[in-house]
Amino acid sequence: MAISKRAEPALLTDQVYATIHEAILNGDLPAGSRLTVRELAEQVGTSAMPVREAIRRLEEAGMVERQPHRGAVVKALTLEELVHVYDIRRLLEVEAARLGAERITAEDCDRMQAEYDLMREAIDDHRVPALLDHDEAMLAILYNAAGNPFLVQVIRNLWLQCRAYKIVGATGTLETPGDDSLWRYQQDLIAAARHNDPIGAAAVNDASLANATDRIKALLAAQPSGR
C-alpha cells in the first residue's frame, strides 16, 4: 500500500506531462505560449503540484523555457537553433539511413510504404500532426533496421525538440501550391531501401533535411519574430 500511495502523484504528473506535451506537439500550444500553472491545473483538473512538475520536465526536455516577466513559455523558434538542430539531425539521420538501408528487410520496406500511404492521406487532408507522426514512423522503421537502438532514441529526442519547427515547415509547405517536398524525398527513400542502397538512402536523407532547413528558415525569416 505504501508503494502504491507514493506512485499516485508520480502517475498523475505523468498524465499531466503527457497532456501538455501532446498539446505542444500538435501545435495547440504554439511557440511563445505562456504556461500558467493555475490555468493549466484548471484545464487538466488537477492541483498545481503535478503541473509544476510537468513544466519542469518539459524544461529539461528542451520544449519549455523561462523568460523574464513571463515565466514558463513554450520555447520560441529561432533561426540559430534551427540551423544547429538540423545540422545534428543531418549528421545522425544520414548515417542512420545508410546503415538501415544495408540491413532492412522487404517486410520492413512494406511497413515503410504503409506509413508513407497514411502520410499522403494526411497531406491530402492537411492534417499536419498526423503527417509528421507517419513520416517519423516511416523513418523509424528504416533507422531501427540499423540495429542501434541508442542512435534511434537520440534521433527521436531531436524530433521532439524540433517538432515546432516541423509544424512550421509542414504547414507552410502545404500552403504552397505545387510543392512536393513533403512526400517526394520519402518516396525516393523507400525506393533506395527496397534496393538495399545505402549510398542512395544517405543521399536522399541529406537532401531532404537540407531542403527542410531551407524551407523552415525562409518561413521563420518571414515572420515578425524571425531573425
Side-chain angles (χ1 to χ4, degrees):
M1 293 296 294
I3 292 176
S4 182
K5 287 181 180 178
R6 287 177 186 153
E8 286 175 5
L11 291 174
L12 185 57
T13 298
D14 288 343
Q15 293 170 1
V16 174
Y17 174 87
T19 299
I20 301 174
H21 185 268
E22 183 178 1
I24 293 173
L25 293 186
N26 289 341
D28 294 332
L29 286 172
S33 298
R34 291 185 64 187
L35 302 181
T36 305
V37 172
R38 181 178 297 178
E39 292 180 0
L40 287 172
E42 290 177 356
Q43 291 176 18
V44 300
T46 68
S47 64
M49 185 178 70
V51 174
R52 288 196 185 94
E53 178 61 19
I55 291 174
R56 184 190 67 78
R57 287 171 55 183
L58 288 163
E59 286 185 75
E60 291 178 350
M63 302 181 74
V64 170
E65 62 184 358
R66 296 278 172 178
Q67 291 186 355
H69 312 300
R70 298 195 70 203
V73 300
V74 178
K75 196 167 184 180
L77 308 181
T78 69
L79 293 177
E80 181 180 17
E81 182 180 71
L82 167 72
V83 171
H84 290 329
V85 172
Y86 274 74
D87 279 350
I88 297 172
R89 285 190 61 194
R90 286 176 74 178
L91 286 172
L92 296 180
E93 294 188 49
V94 167
E95 180 65 5
R98 184 186 69 80
L99 293 172
E102 288 180 343
R103 306 174 185 178
I104 196 166
T105 64
E107 291 77 13
D108 280 343
C109 287
D110 290 341
R111 291 173 56 217
M112 288 181 68
Q113 183 65 50
E115 291 293 344
Y116 173 84
D117 293 341
L118 291 171
M119 184 193 73
R120 288 298 301 267
E121 291 179 10
I123 290 173
D124 291 341
D125 296 337
H126 283 220
R127 291 182 287 117
V128 171
L131 81 85
L132 294 176
D133 289 342
H134 291 302
D135 178 44
E136 290 176 358
M138 185 200 73
L139 292 173
I141 293 168
L142 176 62
Y143 299 167
N144 277 313
N148 187 334
F150 182 74
L151 173 62
V152 178
Q153 185 58 51
V154 172
I155 290 171
R156 285 189 178 278
N157 288 337
L158 285 171
W159 287 345
L160 289 176
Q161 291 187 35
C162 69
R163 180 73 168 206
Y165 293 100
K166 288 182 159 197
I167 290 174
V168 168
T171 301
T173 304
L174 286 173
E175 295 172 353
T176 305
D179 192 332
D180 62 359
S181 54
L182 287 177
W183 56 264
R184 170 167 43 92
Y185 295 104
Q186 289 82 342
Q187 189 177 56
D188 293 343
L189 188 62
I190 293 173
R194 285 198 183 279
H195 288 91
N196 291 112
D197 177 6
I199 295 176
V204 171
N205 250 20
D206 188 58
S208 174
L209 286 163
N211 175 271
T213 303
D214 290 342
R215 282 187 291 111
I216 299 170
K217 188 186 296 185
L219 289 164
L220 289 181
Q223 295 177 358
S225 59
R227 67 179 188 269

